[in-house]
């Protein structure tokens, strides 16, 4: 039930095997017994050095007959909460069967909620009477499963529970900060909700990023369709305008416009397919890529286009 608990229980078992008694802790070295008072002196020296003495923490159990997991309620609260913070929701529910007050602490469940769903409208509101982060976690999990089956029903569920406001910007922030949503269903939803897509694009900050790397980040949040079409053109158009808005000085220096960035993005996607597809035997050379790209966008420098080719060749697909 979590690596932290198993580690402490294992240390306890090892100490019992090596010789633990009410008078002291016995160990062996080269076939000789070390008196308990020597070990006690060693532990005092460790405490003097500022370290945490696990031996004395383990002695907090009530009696020698108690076995199994150490009672977390006997440890300092900071240490108990640190151990429980390593558990996922399932293990934390199991832990609450033993340590109800500790495992049901609101701070633990709040951390689980915000680490999985980074933004919800309810986070910024005054909690209603009887609000519980544990209950909220269950609702967020239920809503995510509903979204992965039917996106519209999932969003309506979040709104009905007061988790999300009926606002494209709030929905976009929720999608941007959540990794539990099925990317295929999310792509369908964004294709239908272009207002949410617009706000989602503006959440990206591409300042001082190299163009292929920025395009990869963009497609990690907004997955590209499997085939070319109107939706892919829309995504590239929105990305091009956002990239230029984040890097106005670079655009002036390179003499690029959103239309030129659009051409470069399409060239990078085609080059990615060419270099990574096993069905393409004759791969595009760097000289061919520079020639074809500059034919479509004449103001782009040859060195800049060459760096684009090197990035795809070394790192890989921009829309994988």
């Amino acid at each position: 039930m979590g690596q932290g608990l198993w580690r402490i229980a294992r240390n306890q078992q090892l100490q019992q095997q090596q010789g633990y008694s009410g008078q002291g802790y016995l160990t062996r070295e080269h076939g000789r017994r070390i008196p308990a008072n020597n070990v006690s002196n060693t532990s005092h020296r460790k405490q003097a050095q500022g370290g945490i003495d696990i031996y004395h923490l383990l002695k907090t159990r009530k009696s020698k007959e108690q076995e199994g997991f150490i009672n977390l309620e006997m440890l300092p609260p900071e240490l108990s909460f640190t151990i429980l913070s390593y558990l996922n929701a399932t293990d934390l529910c199991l832990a609450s069967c033993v340590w109800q007050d500790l495992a049901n602490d609101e701070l633990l469940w709040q951390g689980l909620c915000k680490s999985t769903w980074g933004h919800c409208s309810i986070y910024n509101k005054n909690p209603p009477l009887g609000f519980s982060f544990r209950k909220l976690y269950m609702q967020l999990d239920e809503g995510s499963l509903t979204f992965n089956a039917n996106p519209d029903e999932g969003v309506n569920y979040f709104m009905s529970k007061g988790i999300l406001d009926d606002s494209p910007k709030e929905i976009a922030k929720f999608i941007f900060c959540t990794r539990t949503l099925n990317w295929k269903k999310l792509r369908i939803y964004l294709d239908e909700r272009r207002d949410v897509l617009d706000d989602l694009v503006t959440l990206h900050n591409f300042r001082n990023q190299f163009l292929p790397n920025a395009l990869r980040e963009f497609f990690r949040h907004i997955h590209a369709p499997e085939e070319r079409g109107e939706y892919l053109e829309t995504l590239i158009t929105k990305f091009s305008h956002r990239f230029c808005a984040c890097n106005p000085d670079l655009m002036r220096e390179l003499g690029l416009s959103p239309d030129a960035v659009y051409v470069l993005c399409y060239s990078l996607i085609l080059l990615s397919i060419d270099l990574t597809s096993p069905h393409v035997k004759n791969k595009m050379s760097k000289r061919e890529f520079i020639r074809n790209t500059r034919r479509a966008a004449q103001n782009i420098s040859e060195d800049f286009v060459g760096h684009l080719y090197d990035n795809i060749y070394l790192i890989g697909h921009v829309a994988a």
Side-chain angles (χ1 to χ4, degrees):
M1 190 181 4
Q3 294 181 356
L5 295 178
W6 285 115
R7 191 177 298 113
I8 290 180
R10 182 57 179 163
N11 289 339
Q12 181 182 7
Q13 293 174 358
L14 289 175
Q15 290 180 353
Q16 290 174 347
Q17 294 172 2
Q18 292 174 353
Y20 172 73
S21 66
Q23 288 75 26
Y25 182 56
L26 303 180
T27 59
R28 292 180 179 272
E29 181 181 11
H30 304 298
R32 295 186 297 105
R33 287 185 178 271
I34 299 177
N37 58 350
N38 289 348
V39 179
S40 178
N41 293 335
T42 302
S43 66
H44 286 310
R45 286 197 298 270
K46 290 182 179 179
Q47 284 182 333
Q49 295 172 359
I52 298 177
D53 193 338
I54 295 297
Y55 168 65
H56 286 288
L57 290 177
L58 291 174
K59 285 188 65 178
T60 57
R61 63 183 187 172
K62 294 181 180 179
S63 66
K64 180 182 176 181
E65 288 75 18
Q66 288 181 319
E67 295 181 356
F69 293 115
I70 188 171
N71 188 357
L72 295 183
E73 295 177 348
M74 302 298 294
L75 298 178
E78 297 82 359
L79 181 57
S80 300
F81 287 130
T82 300
I83 294 172
L84 293 176
S85 67
Y86 286 97
L87 304 183
N88 57 32
T90 302
D91 290 341
L92 196 57
C93 287
L94 294 175
S96 66
C97 297
V98 181
W99 304 291
Q100 185 173 3
D101 292 337
L102 288 174
N104 287 331
D105 189 90
E106 283 291 278
L107 288 177
L108 291 174
W109 287 99
Q110 181 181 358
L112 281 175
C113 289
K114 293 188 176 182
S115 63
T116 308
W117 299 274
H119 175 82
C120 295
S121 303
I122 198 172
Y123 292 161
N124 301 320
K125 298 178 180 178
N126 292 326
L129 185 64
F131 174 81
S132 167
F133 274 101
R134 178 172 178 171
K135 180 180 178 181
L136 177 62
Y137 184 96
M138 304 306 173
Q139 292 175 339
L140 286 168
D141 188 56
E142 178 67 23
S144 297
L145 293 174
T146 305
F147 183 97
N148 293 338
N150 188 311
D152 290 328
E153 290 184 5
V155 173
N156 291 334
Y157 175 87
F158 289 130
M159 293 179 182
S160 66
K161 299 298 182 180
I163 297 173
L164 280 181
D165 293 339
D166 189 3
S167 164
K169 182 175 292 187
E170 286 297 300
I171 298 174
K173 288 181 179 179
F174 175 79
I175 293 173
F176 186 79
C177 299
T178 301
R179 298 293 178 268
T180 60
L181 304 181
N182 182 275
W183 64 270
K184 292 183 178 180
K185 297 295 184 179
L186 182 58
R187 185 174 61 192
I188 296 174
Y189 179 78
L190 292 176
D191 191 12
E192 296 174 350
R193 290 292 304 269
R194 298 298 176 90
D195 54 343
V196 176
L197 178 61
D198 290 338
D199 287 314
L200 185 58
V201 172
T202 59
L203 293 175
H204 290 82
N205 184 8
F206 302 123
R207 184 170 179 79
N208 296 329
Q209 291 191 29
F210 194 37
L211 180 60
N213 297 332
L215 196 57
R216 288 188 186 93
E217 179 184 337
F218 179 75
F219 283 130
R220 273 196 294 268
H221 288 95
I222 307 174
H223 294 273
E226 298 175 353
E227 299 178 355
R228 302 180 197 175
E230 185 270 338
Y231 182 55
L232 178 60
E233 294 177 359
T234 299
L235 291 181
I236 298 177
T237 300
K238 293 182 181 298
F239 169 82
S240 301
H241 284 84
R242 181 59 181 169
F243 184 83
C244 292
C246 292
N247 299 279
D249 297 335
L250 178 64
M251 295 301 101
R252 286 193 297 268
E253 179 182 345
L254 297 176
L256 297 178
S257 64
D259 291 338
V261 174
Y262 178 93
V263 172
L264 290 177
C265 290
Y266 243 115
S267 299
L268 291 173
I269 293 174
L270 296 177
L271 177 64
S272 299
I273 297 173
D274 185 274
L275 294 181
T276 59
S277 175
H279 304 292
V280 179
K281 297 186 179 300
N282 298 322
K283 305 296 184 182
M284 185 183 301
S285 67
K286 186 174 183 178
R287 179 173 297 181
E288 290 173 336
F289 177 74
I290 293 174
R291 183 180 66 248
N292 295 339
T293 303
R294 296 195 67 196
R295 187 179 301 169
Q298 299 178 359
N299 294 332
I300 302 175
S301 69
E302 182 174 331
D303 290 339
F304 181 74
V305 180
H307 292 320
L308 296 178
Y309 182 93
D310 294 338
N311 182 278
I312 303 300
Y313 183 84
L314 294 173
I315 299 179
H317 210 302
V318 293

Coordinates of all heavy atoms in Angstrom, one line a residue, residues 41-67:
N41 N 24.6 4.1 22.3 CA 25.5 5.2 22.1 C 25.6 5.7 20.7 O 25.7 6.9 20.4 CB 26.9 4.8 22.7 CG 26.9 4.6 24.2 OD1 26.0 5.2 24.9 ND2 27.8 3.8 24.7
T42 N 25.6 4.7 19.8 CA 25.7 5.0 18.3 C 24.5 5.8 17.9 O 24.6 6.8 17.2 CB 25.7 3.7 17.5 OG1 26.9 3.0 17.9 CG2 25.9 4.0 16.0
S43 N 23.3 5.4 18.4 CA 22.1 6.1 18.0 C 22.1 7.5 18.6 O 21.7 8.5 17.9 CB 20.8 5.4 18.5 OG 20.8 5.4 20.0
H44 N 22.7 7.7 19.8 CA 22.8 9.1 20.4 C 23.7 9.9 19.5 O 23.5 11.1 19.3 CB 23.3 9.0 21.8 CG 22.2 8.5 22.8 ND1 20.9 9.0 22.8 CD2 22.2 7.5 23.7 CE1 20.2 8.4 23.7 NE2 21.0 7.5 24.3
R45 N 24.8 9.3 19.0 CA 25.7 10.1 18.2 C 25.0 10.5 16.9 O 25.2 11.6 16.4 CB 26.9 9.2 17.9 CG 27.9 9.1 19.0 CD 29.2 8.6 18.6 NE 29.2 7.3 17.9 CZ 29.3 6.2 18.6 NH1 29.5 6.2 19.9 NH2 29.3 5.0 18.0
K46 N 24.1 9.6 16.3 CA 23.4 10.0 15.1 C 22.4 11.2 15.4 O 22.3 12.1 14.5 CB 22.6 8.8 14.6 CG 23.5 7.7 14.0 CD 22.7 6.6 13.4 CE 23.6 5.5 12.8 NZ 22.8 4.4 12.3
Q47 N 21.8 11.1 16.5 CA 20.9 12.2 16.9 C 21.7 13.5 17.1 O 21.2 14.6 16.7 CB 20.1 11.8 18.2 CG 19.0 10.8 17.9 CD 18.3 10.5 19.2 OE1 18.8 10.7 20.3 NE2 17.0 10.2 19.1
A48 N 22.9 13.4 17.6 CA 23.7 14.6 17.8 C 24.1 15.2 16.5 O 24.3 16.4 16.4 CB 24.9 14.3 18.6
Q49 N 24.2 14.4 15.5 CA 24.5 14.9 14.1 C 23.3 15.5 13.4 O 23.5 15.9 12.3 CB 25.2 13.8 13.3 CG 26.5 13.2 13.9 CD 27.0 12.0 13.1 OE1 26.3 11.5 12.2 NE2 28.1 11.5 13.5
G50 N 22.2 15.4 14.0 CA 21.0 16.0 13.3 C 20.2 15.1 12.5 O 19.3 15.5 11.8
G51 N 20.5 13.8 12.4 CA 19.8 12.8 11.6 C 18.6 12.3 12.3 O 18.4 12.4 13.5
I52 N 17.7 11.6 11.5 CA 16.5 11.0 12.1 C 16.8 9.6 12.4 O 17.3 8.8 11.6 CB 15.3 11.1 11.1 CG1 15.0 12.5 10.8 CG2 14.1 10.3 11.6 CD1 13.9 12.7 9.7
D53 N 16.6 9.2 13.7 CA 16.9 7.8 14.2 C 15.7 6.9 14.0 O 14.7 7.0 14.7 CB 17.3 7.9 15.6 CG 17.9 6.6 16.1 OD1 17.7 5.5 15.4 OD2 18.7 6.6 17.1
I54 N 15.7 6.1 12.9 CA 14.5 5.2 12.7 C 14.3 4.3 13.8 O 13.1 3.9 14.1 CB 14.8 4.5 11.3 CG1 14.8 5.5 10.2 CG2 13.7 3.4 11.1 CD1 13.5 6.2 10.0
Y55 N 15.3 3.9 14.5 CA 15.2 2.9 15.6 C 14.3 3.5 16.7 O 13.4 2.8 17.1 CB 16.6 2.6 16.2 CG 16.5 1.9 17.5 CD1 16.0 0.6 17.5 CD2 17.0 2.5 18.7 CE1 15.9 -0.1 18.7 CE2 16.9 1.8 19.9 CZ 16.4 0.5 19.9 OH 16.3 -0.2 21.1
H56 N 14.4 4.7 17.0 CA 13.6 5.3 18.1 C 12.2 5.5 17.6 O 11.2 5.5 18.3 CB 14.2 6.6 18.6 CG 15.4 6.3 19.5 ND1 15.3 5.8 20.7 CD2 16.7 6.5 19.3 CE1 16.5 5.7 21.3 NE2 17.4 6.1 20.4
L57 N 12.0 5.8 16.2 CA 10.7 5.9 15.7 C 9.9 4.6 15.8 O 8.7 4.6 16.0 CB 10.8 6.4 14.2 CG 11.2 7.9 14.1 CD1 11.3 8.2 12.6 CD2 10.3 8.8 14.7
L58 N 10.6 3.5 15.5 CA 10.0 2.2 15.5 C 9.6 1.8 17.0 O 8.7 1.0 17.2 CB 10.9 1.2 14.9 CG 11.2 1.3 13.4 CD1 12.2 0.3 12.9 CD2 9.9 1.0 12.7
K59 N 10.3 2.3 18.0 CA 10.0 2.0 19.4 C 8.8 2.7 19.9 O 8.3 2.4 21.0 CB 11.2 2.4 20.2 CG 12.4 1.5 20.1 CD 13.5 1.8 21.2 CE 12.9 1.6 22.6 NZ 13.9 1.8 23.6
T60 N 8.1 3.5 19.0 CA 6.9 4.2 19.4 C 5.7 3.2 19.5 O 4.6 3.6 19.9 CB 6.6 5.3 18.5 OG1 6.5 4.9 17.2 CG2 7.7 6.4 18.6
R61 N 5.8 2.0 18.9 CA 4.7 1.1 19.0 C 4.4 0.8 20.5 O 5.3 0.8 21.3 CB 5.0 -0.2 18.2 CG 6.2 -1.0 18.8 CD 6.5 -2.2 17.9 NE 7.5 -3.0 18.4 CZ 7.8 -4.2 18.0 NH1 7.2 -4.7 16.9 NH2 8.7 -5.0 18.5
K62 N 3.2 0.4 20.7 CA 2.7 0.3 22.1 C 3.3 -0.9 22.8 O 3.6 -0.9 24.0 CB 1.2 0.2 22.1 CG 0.5 1.4 21.6 CD -1.0 1.3 21.7 CE -1.7 2.5 21.2 NZ -3.2 2.4 21.2
S63 N 3.5 -2.0 22.1 CA 4.0 -3.2 22.8 C 4.8 -4.1 21.8 O 4.7 -3.9 20.6 CB 2.9 -4.0 23.5 OG 2.0 -4.6 22.4
K64 N 5.6 -5.0 22.4 CA 6.3 -5.9 21.5 C 5.5 -6.8 20.7 O 5.9 -7.3 19.6 CB 7.3 -6.7 22.4 CG 8.2 -7.7 21.6 CD 9.0 -8.5 22.6 CE 9.9 -9.6 21.8 NZ 10.7 -10.4 22.8
E65 N 4.2 -7.1 21.2 CA 3.4 -8.1 20.5 C 2.8 -7.5 19.2 O 2.3 -8.2 18.4 CB 2.3 -8.6 21.4 CG 2.7 -9.5 22.5 CD 3.5 -8.7 23.6 OE1 3.3 -7.5 23.7 OE2 4.2 -9.4 24.4
Q66 N 2.8 -6.2 19.1 CA 2.2 -5.6 17.9 C 3.1 -5.9 16.7 O 4.3 -5.7 16.7 CB 2.1 -4.1 18.1 CG 0.9 -3.7 19.0 CD 0.8 -2.2 19.1 OE1 1.8 -1.5 19.2 NE2 -0.4 -1.7 19.2
E67 N 2.5 -6.3 15.6 CA 3.3 -6.7 14.4 C 2.6 -6.0 13.2 O 1.5 -5.6 13.3 CB 3.4 -8.2 14.2 CG 4.2 -8.8 15.4 CD 4.3 -10.3 15.1 OE1 3.7 -10.8 14.2 OE2 5.0 -11.0 15.9

